[in-house]
């Protein structure tokens, strides 16, 4: 899908990070996966942080793990420090990769793994097989110059089976306005138009970019990369590897043209209902399905019966006078909800 996305309200963002996705992951059928991290040489000393959040409860699965990175330190030494700290904290399923990287095996699929650079001025990657979604964040204000007093550079990108799509922006190009939302907006404008070619959709959400993957493009690996040469903290990335049950996919919406709506992961032969809203995110309880939609004042698009593989489809014509309108869409079945898909009509 394509089109600029609207930022969500802060108090809804954590919940939507769990709900949003493009497709049902098929790369792994078990309850655990391996998560791979790759590191570059840090330019300054800092404290990197690895986090493990339980998406089922919205709470931390364990305390954040902080690792002091000295200066000087190269990428291989950094990997050794991180691996040793993870092991000392009880994460024994850590393997070093050739080069500067590590793999954590047997990570529960309901865990969101995050990594924050902590002001070490570096570039990192996190990926796994068949991820649901990922994000890159630039939180707060960033020093606009690197340690050599050159304009700082900010990077974000996605990794899929197609390859790596990455974009950079310098503080000079931003007129040295290096607040997180300004950085993210500039990177979004460079990444979003090409992301669908790599099997991903990117949403701009203030101080972060949210990435949602098409499972057909992440059979081997999917993830994000991020980094900055600024010595400020607040840059990081995360990876959500959970497999949602009901997943909505929508064709790009174009005024006056037909668009297909598809929901996968439904109970075979069950009825799936499709909804849209022009008012945005909100709570609407549907007594007949015993679910609470994440849409404000939803309107029914239609319904379809799922086939033997649990896929329900329908097609509708987008109104000719709707160009530029932002549409929020969601599928629902009995006690089951999909993620919300947000598109701007082209």
């Amino acid at each position: 899908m394509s089109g600029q996305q609207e930022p969500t309200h802060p108090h809804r963002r954590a919940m939507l990070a769990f709900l949003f996705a493009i497709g049902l992951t098929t790369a792994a059928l078990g309850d655990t996966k391996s998560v791979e991290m790759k590191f570059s040489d840090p330019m300054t000393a800092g404290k990197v942080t690895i986090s493990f959040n339980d998406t089922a409860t919205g709470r931390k699965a364990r305390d954040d793990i902080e690792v002091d990175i000295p200066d000087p330190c190269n990428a291989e030494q950094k990997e050794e420090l991180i691996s040793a700290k993870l092991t000392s904290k009880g994460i024994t399923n850590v393997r070093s990769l050739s080069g500067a990287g590590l793999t954590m095996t047997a990570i529960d699929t309901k865990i969101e793994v995050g990594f924050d650079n902590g002001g070490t001025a570096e570039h990192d990657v996190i990926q796994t097989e068949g991820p649901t979604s990922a994000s890159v964040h630039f939180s707060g204000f960033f020093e606009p110059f690197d340690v050599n007093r050159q304009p700082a550079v900010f990077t974000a990108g996605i990794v899929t089976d197609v390859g790596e799509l990455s974009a950079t922006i310098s503080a000079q190009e931003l007129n040295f306005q290096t607040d997180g939302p300004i950085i993210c907006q500039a990177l979004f404008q460079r990444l979003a138009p090409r992301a669908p070619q790599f099997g991903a959709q990117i949403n701009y959400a203030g101080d972060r970019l949210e990435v949602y993957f098409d499972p057909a493009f992440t059979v081997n690996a999917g993830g994000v990369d991020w980094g900055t040469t600024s010595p400020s903290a607040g840059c990081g990335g995360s990876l959500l590897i959970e497999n949602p049950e009901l997943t909505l996919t929508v064709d790009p919406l174009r005024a006056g043209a037909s668009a297909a709506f598809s929901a996968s992961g439904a109970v075979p032969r069950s009825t799936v209902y499709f909804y849209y809203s022009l008012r945005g995110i909100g709570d609407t309880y549907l007594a007949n399905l015993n679910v609470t939609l994440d849409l404000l004042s939803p309107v029914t698009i239609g319904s379809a019966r799922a086939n033997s593989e649990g896929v329900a489809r329908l097609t509708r014509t987008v109104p000719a006078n709707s160009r530029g309108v932002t549409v929020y869409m969601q599928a629902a079945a009995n006690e089951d909800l999909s993620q919300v898909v947000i598109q701007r009509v082209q």
Side-chain angles (χ1 to χ4, degrees), residues 62 65 85-93:
R62 59 165 61 237
I65 297 175
K85 192 61 172 284
L86 289 171
T87 301
S88 72
K89 293 295 184 178
I91 302 177
T92 58
N93 52 333

Side-chain angles (χ1 to χ4, degrees), residues 126-180:
I126 185 170
Q127 64 185 37
T128 188
E129 294 181 351
T132 296
S133 62
S135 69
V136 171
H137 65 263
F138 290 89
S139 304
F141 175 79
F142 287 79
E143 165 62 43
F145 296 96
D146 63 21
V147 294
N148 298 315
R149 302 308 298 169
Q150 296 298 310
V153 175
F154 305 91
T155 302
I158 57 176
V159 179
T160 68
D161 292 344
V162 177
E164 182 175 340
L165 173 65
S166 188
T168 60
I169 192 83
S170 73
Q172 187 171 10
E173 292 175 281
L174 297 172
N175 294 319
F176 298 100
Q177 300 180 46
T178 48
D179 287 307

Side-chain angles (χ1 to χ4, degrees), residues 272-276 283-295 297-300 330-337:
V272 178
Y273 299 84
F274 298 83
Y275 300 90
Y276 78 92
D283 292 332
T284 303
Y285 178 67
L286 302 179
N288 61 318
L289 299 177
N290 193 28
V291 296
T292 299
L293 289 179
D294 299 292
L295 303 178
S297 301
V299 178
T300 302
Q330 191 169 25
N334 185 48
E335 298 187 344
D336 201 2
L337 276 178

Side-chain angles (χ1 to χ4, degrees), residues 108-122:
D108 191 289
T109 56
K110 294 187 182 297
I111 298 299
E112 180 183 33
V113 181
F115 185 87
D116 196 290
N117 292 15
T120 52
E122 61 182 84

Side-chain angles (χ1 to χ4, degrees), residues 27-50:
L29 299 178
D31 294 325
T32 64
K33 290 184 181 179
S34 296
V35 175
E36 182 178 293
M37 294 183 181
K38 299 178 182 178
F39 310 115
S40 69
D41 294 335
M43 297 175 63
T44 63
K47 188 187 297 288
V48 301
T49 303
I50 302 96

Side-chain angles (χ1 to χ4, degrees), residues 226-286:
W226 67 90
T228 180
T229 59
S230 170
S232 298
C235 174
S238 65
L239 192 65
L240 183 64
I241 57 180
E242 181 172 4
N243 304 330
E245 294 183 0
L246 188 63
T247 303
L248 174 63
T249 304
V250 183
D251 283 350
L253 300 180
R254 296 187 174 89
S258 295
F261 299 78
S262 177
S264 59
V267 176
R269 311 303 181 189
S270 66
T271 301
V272 178
Y273 299 84
F274 298 83
Y275 300 90
Y276 78 92
S277 170
L278 301 182
R279 297 189 59 190
I281 301 300
D283 292 332
T284 303
Y285 178 67
L286 302 179

Side-chain angles (χ1 to χ4, degrees), residues 58-70:
R59 301 172 182 172
K60 290 186 179 297
R62 59 165 61 237
D63 291 339
D64 291 347
I65 297 175
E66 298 180 337
V67 185
D68 290 312
I69 305 300

